[in-house]
């Protein structure tokens, strides 16, 4: 359904050019948009005109024109003024508005189709049937990109991205909830999965330029068929969630880069609790002091290299060895041994995941 704002903008433009007053009403005479408050008298005649077989009719100082949407009366256009050219002006204005109604309806239908496609609400036969009707290619490579900001309902972001990424071309920009904006990116023009990172960076730069500085972007893997778009969307959603847990320092996260974080994210909480008890026993990993956590993280960053870690921490090698020995006594794990280091790293990630989930679903472990 065309908005009153679009109608108002359209007839204001026509009024400026043609120097006539215009009003758009529904079939019962209710005003939708007017250029001047002169149509209250004409409104009483609209229902009679709507029921008549005529497409154009004059009454008093007014000319009436019917505007259809697929042979169904959508609006009645009323004009006042124009002299001998009034009939031509009215027909041209009616034609313009009717074209807008059709174009916006097709856009709405395409948007509705993409939303249902993302949410997996369509049968396979419906996907290809509706795609053909809406002139959407079924075998074009695509990737789904999700943009999330702190903006309320992301409405401002949606409008900006529709202007930036959805203007022309074969990309779709939509939203299926209040938490993010979705871009279904067409990769048919030589774009590859590796190019999506650069596209995401361009989106961040564009939003930052428009005063949206807290945007986070996640994207799935490229898919070759329309029916697989929902899979790329699910991957992007997971990447967004996992990124909040394990990659807080990144504002762009790809599903293909999630690594072990993707597996941990799918673990049930009871299993996580059991694993943590087995690794740490009665010790609570949240009780590690800042010095210990800094030492552990820096040791992992340097691939278990004692010399490089001690250099970056500005401590003597023996001091680092002492800290690692102390940690081994309290946990039973020696981070200088690869298997123990892997177990410890995974355990810390599991704790991080549990802490995140506790904020979402309030539980204790």
């Amino acid at each position: 359904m065309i908005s009153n704002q679009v109608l108002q903008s359209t007839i204001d433009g026509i009024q400026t050019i043609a120097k006539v007053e215009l009003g758009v009403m529904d079939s019962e005479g209710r005003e939708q948009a007017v250029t001047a408050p002169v149509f209250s008298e004409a409104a009483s005649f609209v229902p009679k005109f709507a029921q008549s077989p005529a497409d154009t009719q004059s009454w008093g100082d007014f000319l009436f024109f019917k505007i259809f949407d697929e042979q169904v009366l959508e609006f009645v256009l009323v004009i006042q003024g124009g002299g001998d050219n009034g009939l031509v002006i009215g027909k041209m204005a009616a034609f313009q508005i009717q074209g807008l109604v059709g174009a916006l309806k097709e856009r709405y239908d395409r948007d509705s189709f993409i939303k249902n496609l993302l949410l997996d609400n369509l049968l396979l036969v419906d996907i290809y049937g509706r795609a053909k009707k809406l002139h959407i290619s079924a075998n074009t490579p695509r990737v789904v990109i999700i943009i999330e900001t702190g903006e309320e309902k992301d409405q401002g972001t949606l409008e900006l991205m529709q202007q930036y990424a959805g203007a022309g071309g074969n990309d779709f920009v939509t939203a299926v909830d209040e938490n993010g904006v979705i871009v279904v990116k067409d990769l048919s023009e030589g774009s590859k999965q590796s190019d999506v990172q650069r596209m995401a960076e361009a989106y961040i730069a564009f939003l930052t330029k428009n005063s949206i500085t807290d945007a986070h972007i996640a994207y799935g893997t490229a898919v070759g068929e329309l029916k697989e778009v929902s899979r790329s969307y699910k991957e992007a959603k997971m990447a967004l969630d996992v990124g909040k847990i394990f990659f807080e320092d990144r504002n762009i996260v790809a599903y293909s880069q999630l690594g072990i974080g993707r597996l941990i994210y799918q673990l049930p909480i009871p299993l996580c609790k059991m694993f943590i008890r087995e690794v740490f026993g009665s010790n609570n990993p949240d009780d590690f002091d800042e010095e210990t956590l800094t030492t552990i993280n820096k040791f992992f960053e340097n691939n278990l290299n004692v010399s490089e870690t001690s250099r970056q921490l500005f401590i003597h090698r023996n001091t680092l060895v002492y800290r690692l020995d102390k940690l081994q006594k309290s946990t039973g794990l020696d981070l200088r041994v690869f298997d123990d280091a892997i177990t410890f790293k995974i355990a810390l990630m599991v704790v991080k995941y549990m802490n995140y989930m506790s904020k979402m679903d309030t539980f204790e472990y």
Side-chain angles (χ1 to χ4, degrees), residues 21-315:
E21 302 299 342
L22 302 95
V24 179
M25 304 182 184
D26 64 17
S27 60
E28 296 181 6
R30 290 186 291 261
E31 291 184 356
Q32 306 299 304
V34 296
T35 59
V38 296
F39 294 99
S40 57
E41 184 181 356
S44 63
F45 183 75
V46 169
K48 298 177 183 178
F49 172 62
Q51 296 297 322
S52 73
D55 289 341
T56 304
Q57 196 168 347
S58 63
W59 184 75
D61 294 333
F62 303 100
L63 287 172
F64 299 81
F65 304 85
K66 289 180 179 177
I67 298 171
F68 295 93
D69 178 20
E70 296 184 355
Q71 300 182 340
V72 176
L73 181 63
E74 187 75 15
F75 298 112
V76 172
L77 172 69
V78 186
I79 73 166
Q80 183 188 52
D84 295 337
N85 295 322
L87 185 62
V88 174
I89 294 170
K91 286 185 175 181
M92 292 180 66
F95 180 79
Q96 173 74 11
I97 295 172
Q98 187 162 308
L100 278 174
V101 169
L104 290 176
K105 181 179 180 181
E106 180 178 349
R107 176 178 171 181
Y108 172 79
D109 287 344
R110 287 164 72 94
D111 185 65
S112 177
F113 171 72
I114 292 298
K115 286 180 179 178
N116 283 302
L117 181 68
L118 291 167
L119 296 174
D120 236 348
N121 289 339
L122 298 171
L123 298 174
L124 189 60
V125 64
D126 292 335
I127 291 176
Y128 291 102
R130 291 184 62 183
K132 184 176 181 180
K133 183 178 179 181
L134 295 170
H135 309 292
I136 298 174
S137 172
N139 298 311
T140 296
R142 295 178 174 91
V143 66
V144 175
I145 304 170
I146 299 179
I147 305 164
E148 189 176 271
T149 73
E151 297 291 308
E152 184 177 357
K153 295 187 178 180
D154 274 331
Q155 189 60 38
T157 308
L158 175 60
E159 293 174 357
L160 282 171
M161 291 307 301
Q162 284 175 337
Q163 296 170 15
Y164 181 70
N170 298 311
D171 299 337
F172 299 96
V173 182
T174 188
V176 298
D177 53 36
E178 297 179 352
N179 299 321
V181 174
I182 301 166
V183 179
V184 181
K185 180 68 182 176
D186 186 313
L187 299 178
S188 60
E189 297 182 359
S191 299
K192 302 176 182 178
Q193 177 79 23
S194 57
D195 296 325
V196 181
Q197 179 71 23
R198 287 191 290 274
M199 296 174 195
E201 291 169 356
Y203 292 166
I204 291 285
F206 170 75
L207 292 172
T208 301
K209 185 178 179 181
N210 285 275
S211 303
I212 298 178
T213 58
D214 57 350
H216 287 79
I217 293 181
Y219 57 91
T221 55
V223 295
E225 294 188 36
L226 200 57
K227 65 179 182 180
E228 297 176 331
V229 166
S230 62
R231 174 167 62 82
S232 185
Y233 170 62
K234 291 172 185 174
E235 292 173 349
K237 280 193 69 177
M238 179 180 287
L240 193 64
D241 289 340
V242 174
K244 293 175 183 176
I245 304 172
F246 302 117
F247 306 103
E248 308 102 310
D249 57 332
R250 300 186 197 176
N251 55 10
I252 300 174
V253 180
Y255 177 79
S256 60
Q257 299 170 350
L258 298 182
I260 197 171
R262 181 184 10 161
L263 298 178
I264 294 173
Y265 179 74
Q266 298 178 80
L267 292 175
I269 294 301
L271 186 60
C272 292
K273 293 179 182 179
M274 185 184 304
F275 176 69
I276 294 302
R277 283 195 297 267
E278 290 175 355
V279 174
F280 294 112
S282 60
N283 295 318
N284 190 330
D286 285 333
D287 291 339
F288 289 147
D289 57 53
E290 189 63 31
E291 180 183 84
T292 301
L293 288 173
T294 300
T295 301
I296 293 169
N297 290 329
K298 187 62 68 174
F299 194 53
F300 283 138
E301 285 177 16
N302 289 289
N303 299 315
L304 314 184
N305 187 307
V306 174
S307 299
E308 184 60 24
T309 301
S310 59
R311 187 185 69 80
Q312 291 188 20
L313 289 174
F314 303 103
I315 59 175

Side-chain angles (χ1 to χ4, degrees), residues 303-349:
N303 299 315
L304 314 184
N305 187 307
V306 174
S307 299
E308 184 60 24
T309 301
S310 59
R311 187 185 69 80
Q312 291 188 20
L313 289 174
F314 303 103
I315 59 175
H316 193 276
R317 176 188 174 92
N318 290 342
T319 302
L320 176 59
V321 171
Y322 169 76
R323 291 181 185 178
L324 294 175
D325 287 341
K326 182 180 177 182
L327 187 64
Q328 181 182 5
K329 290 178 181 178
S330 64
T331 64
L333 296 172
D334 185 353
L335 298 193
R336 290 159 292 192
V337 177
F338 180 77
D339 287 348
D340 284 359
I342 288 293
T343 300
F344 203 100
K345 176 68 173 177
I346 293 174
L348 289 181
M349 292 180 71

